[in-house]
Amino acid sequence: MKLINLLKIAYRSLSKNKLRVLLTMLGIIIGVASVIAMLAIGQGSKENIQTSMASLGINSVMIYPGSTNQGGVRMGAGSYSTLTLKDVDAINSKCDYITDVSPVVSKSSQVIAGNQNWHTNVVGGLNQYFKIRDLTVSVGSSFSATDEHTAAKVCVIGQTVSTNLFGENANPVGKFIRINSIPFKVVGLLAVKGQNTFGQDQDDIIIAPFSTVMKRMLSTLYLNSILASAKSENDIDNAKSQISTIIRIQHKLTPADQDDFTVRSQADIAKTFESISNVMTILLACIASISLLVGGIGIMNIMLVSVTERTREIGIRMAVGAKSRDVLFQFIIESIFISVLGGLIGIVLGILIAFLVSYFGKWPVVITGTSILLSFLFSSVVGIFFGWYPAKKASNLNPIDALRFE
Amino acid sequence: MDIDNNLICVKDLVKTYKMGDMQVFALRNVTLNIEKGAFVAIMGPSGSGKSTFMNVIGCLDYPTSGEYYIDNENVFKLNKDRLAELRNKKIGFIFQSFNILARTSAIENVELPMLYNSGIDTKERKERALAALKSVGLAERAFHMPNQLSGGQQQRVAIARSLVNNPLVIMADEPTGNLDTRSSYEIMEIFQKLNDKGITIVMVTHEMDIAQFARTNILFRDGKIVSNSEVIDRKIATDEIKNLPILDVNEVLT
Ligand SMILES: Nc1ncnc2c1ncn2[C@@H]1O[C@H](COP(=O)(O)OP(=O)(O)OP(=O)(O)O)[C@@H](O)[C@H]1O
Ligand SMILES: [Mg+2]
């Protein structure tokens, strides 16, 4: 049997049954496309979490007042007033595993520049705050130690604040703004960071020297939080436990007392989110597998439904001299064609859907080779198997039984 | 068994079907020799085993027991692939229900046996398919689909398909069963021409007048051959067609 003849036979058969070919392909297309699109969305959100976590400064350690695991009425971390500058000094002098530490205070404030006004969070921190949070100043500079000492009315602003007060692409450095009626000089503009994992705009912020915010804007001795950064990733856990010990001593807590503060690392939060997004990826993979399965059943159905007609066709072919392997070869070529073409269209469609989602839904997507390979292989195997199997059965019949098949 | 002069030698052919506990005997020890160049019409009541016999000698079905030689080949000793080659090269089979591929043009249907015959290239295949269609008077319908053809025309496509690989024998199971008299006679005309060229023809028919076109008539009853006789007063299709009354439309309307 000449290969060219078998190819011709398969081609003729395909071109004569366009509807059947199309329906079978549709099952494969939908299966492959949905798997690729869904896994792209899942993977995208996962990687988004990872990168935005890293952008917060992966080695940073945060200390909040109040405990998260107190019994009875539970108040969120941060709603207590237990941390003071003394704690910062203690950590600074006694903790071996950190490089930088900064107290943090903040106040939600009204900001005015000219006839524009904006509401944002004003954070007071030391110069180290920038380092710990991995913030860089793109225009101008951050404030100096002298500014800290003199409680200078200077600040560094985020891009969102700048845009809202001074307009797009304006250079805010050297201009004056009024925060709660106090005039501040803008000395720097932060590099754009975008949204964080929680969807917060990280560029909607004003940072001023700690002493300025503490003395001029707040009348309190207590801190919102303390921010520190561990020497390296491996020191995070040591830093956390040592900080706990230091503050417990500092707060004169007996062993029976619970912590009146919470120490958390960026890595802890990242881990939590990673596990959440892992669950999401698994969920999406489940949905995708189901759609692949449904697609597979679709392929199977259309293949099996056409078996009556095709068994008679096989009978006719065998009656005029086709061998079993000729028939099988024809059916395998047909199903390979359908599966591969359907699979390829599915891949293109899946990628397209993923891009549309990322474009219109502003949702990050990452298309992985695994998802493409997996869905393509699965649908091909299903398609080829259900093309081959009924043909295998029919070609083992006597021609007359195939012709009589009902 | 006298193999030498005979194209087809069948000995003690038995075919039973199991229907639950019951055994249905479709063929009971059928023995028959058919010479090269014969034109045999097989007749008999419904259920007497004619189709079963045809399917077995057409290599489409296996018997329960018996021996069968075609062109000196011991058919039941051949493997499936050799059997397929036999069907392809030596036998042309025609069915009552045509059995041509749907949505496939006449010429592509006729090309089909040649696609499974590796000795024929594309050019020769097209030429031979067209010649076969021409010989059954369908040259100008070559590119029509089966659903655009009448029953008689579809059967002629099937005939063209059966003879395109130059078989030794054409086997036809009630080839005119679904056709009117004129179409039937036209088919007989083709058969007689093929037979005159030396092709052996074995056909099953229910109609006495169709059997009269053959040279020999065989009668089946209860899975056995009960008579085997020469046709006296054999009819010639070309003449019979001329004698058919021409339906005059005006005559019918008035
Ligand atoms: N697939 C089958 N299963 C069971 N019994 C069968 C089968 N095919 C045929 N038979 C039986 O075998 C016997 C012979 O059938 P066959 O089709 O050969 O008859 P026939 O002479 O061709 O009849 P007809 O003139 O009606 O076509 C019948 O009794 C029939 O019922
Ligand atoms: Mg019959």
Side-chain angles (χ1 to χ4, degrees):
Chain A
M1 192 65 205
K2 276 195 281 186
L3 185 68
I4 180 88
N5 284 3
L6 287 171
L7 291 174
K8 185 161 274 156
I9 288 165
Y11 167 76
R12 283 185 179 179
S13 173
L14 285 170
S15 61
K16 257 139 219 163
N17 297 287
K18 292 199 183 73
L19 186 64
R20 188 178 68 215
V21 169
L22 208 77
L23 288 175
T24 319
M25 253 190 223
L26 210 61
I28 295 177
I29 292 171
I30 291 170
V32 171
S34 58
V35 168
I36 290 173
M38 286 197 203
L39 289 183
I41 292 165
Q43 193 64 28
S45 64
K46 195 168 155 184
E47 293 197 5
N48 181 43
I49 286 167
Q50 281 165 352
T51 53
S52 67
M53 281 295 165
S55 79
L56 282 174
I58 197 73
N59 292 345
S60 60
V61 176
M62 288 149 281
I63 303 107
Y64 298 100
S67 168
T68 46
N69 27 348
Q70 267 171 342
V73 179
R74 184 181 293 187
M75 297 171 82
S79 47
Y80 290 81
S81 305
T82 55
L83 296 176
T84 62
L85 264 182
K86 287 199 183 101
D87 298 324
V88 178
D89 293 338
I91 293 169
N92 216 356
S93 57
K94 291 180 191 152
C95 188
D96 310 319
Y97 300 103
I98 58 163
T99 52
D100 298 287
V101 63
S102 166
V104 180
V105 284
S106 71
K107 186 174 168 55
S108 182
S109 310
Q110 194 70 24
V111 189
I112 301 166
N115 58 356
Q116 301 294 315
N117 76 84
W118 187 243
H119 198 90
T120 189
N121 203 29
V122 179
V123 172
L126 301 180
N127 211 309
Q128 286 93 315
Y129 181 84
F130 294 91
K131 218 174 130 192
I132 300 167
R133 285 217 40 208
D134 198 20
L135 298 171
T136 48
V137 178
S138 63
V139 185
S141 62
S142 69
F143 33 80
S144 63
T146 321
D147 291 330
E148 177 60 39
H149 279 304
T150 57
K153 290 178 276 183
V154 292
C155 66
V156 174
I157 66 175
Q159 184 62 55
T160 306
V161 177
S162 172
T163 305
N164 281 288
L165 293 178
F166 302 109
E168 206 97 31
N169 300 327
N171 181 2
V173 175
K175 296 197 171 132
F176 281 87
I177 59 175
R178 297 171 77 82
I179 304 173
N180 290 351
S181 310
I182 307 164
F184 276 76
K185 187 184 181 189
V186 178
V187 294
L189 176 68
L190 290 172
V192 175
K193 275 200 121 173
Q195 291 188 345
N196 70 5
T197 323
F198 313 96
Q200 275 172 339
D201 182 1
Q202 298 180 90
D203 302 318
D204 190 5
I205 192 172
I206 295 176
I207 302 169
F210 172 74
S211 54
T212 311
V213 179
M214 196 74 167
K215 287 175 187 159
R216 296 185 192 274
M217 294 175 66
L218 301 161
S219 40
T220 171
L221 289 172
Y222 297 106
L223 309 175
N224 286 70
S225 61
I226 300 170
L227 215 55
S229 65
K231 279 181 177 156
S232 74
E233 231 182 296
N234 299 331
D235 290 327
I236 292 174
D237 287 335
N238 289 334
K240 274 169 66 184
S241 59
Q242 208 179 30
I243 288 169
S244 279
T245 317
I246 292 166
I247 300 179
R248 281 186 75 89
I249 294 168
Q250 196 62 34
H251 289 187
K252 301 190 174 64
L253 299 176
T254 65
D257 293 330
Q258 281 198 310
D259 286 353
D260 59 356
F261 59 93
T262 306
V263 184
R264 243 192 264 161
S265 71
Q266 192 59 50
D268 293 341
I269 299 172
K271 259 181 220 144
T272 312
F273 270 84
E274 219 175 280
S275 66
I276 291 171
S277 77
N278 272 338
V279 169
M280 200 166 95
T281 309
I282 291 169
L283 203 77
L284 285 169
C286 283
I287 296 171
S289 321
I290 290 170
S291 58
L292 207 54
L293 197 72
V294 170
I297 290 170
I299 301 164
M300 186 181 78
N301 275 359
I302 193 80
M303 293 288 201
L304 293 183
V305 161
S306 63
V307 126
T308 314
E309 192 201 44
R310 303 224 74 182
T311 303
R312 285 184 61 87
E313 178 194 329
I314 289 171
I316 293 174
R317 290 180 184 279
M318 291 200 297
V320 301
K323 297 174 181 132
S324 300
R325 62 166 178 272
D326 298 336
V327 171
L328 266 184
F329 197 85
Q330 174 198 339
F331 276 68
I332 287 174
I333 292 179
E334 280 184 35
S335 25
I336 287 176
F337 175 83
I338 291 173
S339 304
V340 170
L341 193 64
L344 290 178
I345 296 174
I347 289 172
V348 172
L349 195 70
I351 292 172
L352 200 73
I353 291 171
F355 274 121
L356 288 181
V357 166
S358 83
Y359 186 77
F360 289 107
K362 301 264 183 279
W363 188 283
V365 298
V366 175
I367 293 158
T368 58
T370 331
S371 69
I372 292 178
L373 205 70
L374 199 85
S375 56
F376 185 76
L377 282 184
F378 179 83
S379 62
S380 301
V381 168
V382 170
I384 292 169
F385 178 79
F386 285 105
W388 165 82
Y389 182 67
K392 172 81 187 160
K393 268 175 67 178
S395 66
N396 280 337
L397 295 172
N398 284 335
I400 199 68
D401 293 327
L403 281 168
R404 284 208 198 108
F405 188 84
E406 261 151 19
Chain B
M1 198 180 286
D2 186 8
I3 297 173
D4 299 336
N5 294 328
N6 293 316
L7 182 66
I8 288 172
C9 295
V10 173
K11 195 165 175 237
D12 285 335
L13 216 55
V14 175
K15 175 91 185 176
T16 59
Y17 290 105
K18 270 217 173 68
M19 301 293 284
D21 301 337
M22 241 184 30
Q23 265 206 336
V24 179
F25 275 85
L27 296 175
R28 304 169 196 258
N29 294 74
V30 174
T31 299
L32 179 69
N33 294 332
I34 298 174
E35 293 171 359
K36 285 195 176 84
F39 188 164
V40 180
I42 297 176
M43 305 200 47
S46 189
S48 57
K50 307 181 295 292
S51 292
T52 308
F53 180 71
M54 287 299 282
N55 293 336
V56 171
I57 64 169
C59 302
L60 299 174
D61 202 358
Y62 284 102
T64 310
S65 68
E67 278 183 84
Y68 172 29
Y69 291 82
I70 182 166
D71 197 28
N72 295 331
E73 288 202 78
N74 190 345
V75 174
F76 303 140
K77 290 254 157 69
L78 299 176
N79 65 24
K80 279 194 152 193
D81 284 355
R82 287 284 299 123
L83 218 57
E85 273 173 40
L86 204 65
R87 288 195 294 269
N88 186 250
K89 302 218 167 87
K90 297 191 175 169
I91 301 170
F93 208 98
I94 297 162
F95 302 87
Q96 179 176 355
S97 52
F98 317 141
N99 276 336
I100 55 180
L101 291 180
R103 296 183 292 278
T104 305
S105 66
I107 185 147
E108 284 185 9
N109 262 297
V110 177
E111 280 179 57
L112 198 61
M114 292 185 286
L115 281 173
Y116 294 109
N117 182 347
S118 48
I120 302 167
D121 63 32
T122 309
K123 187 164 166 278
E124 188 186 351
R125 191 176 69 231
K126 301 263 179 219
E127 284 170 4
R128 273 167 69 171
L130 217 68
L133 279 173
K134 204 168 170 186
S135 74
V136 297
L138 279 182
E140 73 283 9
R141 303 271 180 172
F143 296 96
H144 286 213
M145 296 294 157
N147 60 1
Q148 298 167 322
L149 297 172
S150 72
Q153 287 165 338
Q154 289 183 53
Q155 193 61 298
R156 281 189 274 161
V157 172
I159 294 170
R161 184 182 67 188
S162 75
L163 55 86
V164 79
N165 260 346
N166 296 324
L168 298 173
V169 53
I170 285 179
M171 301 181 181
D173 191 357
E174 299 192 42
T176 62
N178 287 341
L179 306 180
D180 68 6
T181 310
R182 176 174 291 274
S183 303
S184 301
Y185 284 13
E186 281 166 1
I187 303 269
M188 287 308 114
E189 187 180 23
I190 297 166
F191 278 8
Q192 285 187 332
K193 277 182 186 159
L194 290 171
N195 186 239
D196 291 342
K197 279 194 262 174
I199 295 178
T200 310
I201 291 176
V202 184
M203 73 172 179
V204 170
T205 181
H206 269 293
E207 293 142 284
M208 270 309 290
D209 60 328
I210 296 295
Q212 294 287 303
F213 292 101
R215 294 180 199 273
T216 321
N217 281 1
I218 288 175
L219 192 63
F220 266 72
R221 184 164 292 145
D222 287 336
K224 280 183 287 202
I225 296 175
V226 291
S227 84
N228 184 346
S229 56
E230 294 282 309
V231 174
I232 324 158
D233 226 4
R234 187 182 185 223
K235 288 202 270 193
I236 304 301
T238 318
D239 302 337
E240 295 294 325
I241 290 169
K242 279 188 201 128
N243 294 338
L244 278 177
I246 297 160
L247 206 58
D248 190 330
V249 178
N250 292 324
E251 214 170 281
V252 174
L253 288 178
T254 48

